Amino acid sequence: MSTMKWTYKENVVGTALKDIGKIKKGGSVPVQVYEFYVDSRGGSSTTTRYYYGMSPKPEEAPALPPSFSPPTAKEISLGQDFELKKETPISVSTPENKKWILYVVLAVAGYFAYKKFKK
């Protein structure tokens, strides 16, 4: 006899590698992440499983107890059905920030040029 348990972890956004439900290839896919635990005579193992759909309400998610039945959502495979979106951190590569950096560089260069020629 074995024990199987699904524990909700988080909701992430992926990019569809093929059509999933109403989402076309290349679109954003809402993905529920569950930890799947199996305990049997041969030992125990824990894997991560992905399911298509929105997560539970944010106020309910941390309080969800582990379930002994699988989620009702469709299971999807990482690498076959979708890939995780790479988050781009906010950095100086955005166009607004490039202009700001340019203005700062020009102001600093202007300051030193003014000091040099004022002597």
Side-chain angles (χ1 to χ4, degrees):
M1 183 139 208
S2 64
T3 302
M4 295 185 287
K5 185 170 46 171
W6 286 262
T7 306
Y8 173 78
K9 291 298 177 189
E10 64 181 333
N11 197 40
V12 295
V13 177
T15 303
L17 297 177
K18 60 183 182 180
D19 293 348
I20 302 173
K22 296 178 182 178
I23 299 173
K24 301 292 180 195
K25 180 179 179 180
S28 292
V29 180
V31 180
Q32 297 176 16
V33 181
Y34 282 84
E35 182 180 86
F36 177 61
Y37 173 78
V38 177
D39 186 16
S40 63
R41 291 181 186 183
S44 63
S45 66
T46 303
T47 58
T48 302
R49 298 254 177 123
Y50 302 96
Y51 294 88
Y52 169 72
M54 298 303 293
S55 67
K57 296 177 185 171
E59 60 273 5
E60 295 175 358
L64 284 177
S67 173
F68 294 101
S69 60
T72 56
K74 176 185 174 190
E75 185 172 357
I76 54 179
S77 300
L78 180 64
Q80 293 178 352
D81 297 324
F82 77 101
E83 64 182 14
L84 293 176
K85 279 193 174 180
K86 294 180 177 73
E87 294 295 324
T88 55
I90 298 174
S91 64
V92 294
S93 64
T94 59
E96 300 84 27
N97 287 341
K98 284 183 181 177
K99 288 180 185 177
W100 182 80
I101 290 174
L102 178 64
Y103 294 140
V104 170
V105 169
L106 287 174
V108 170
Y111 172 75
F112 285 111
Y114 173 76
K115 283 188 80 164
K116 179 173 176 108
F117 291 114
K118 184 165 175 153
K119 287 184 181 181

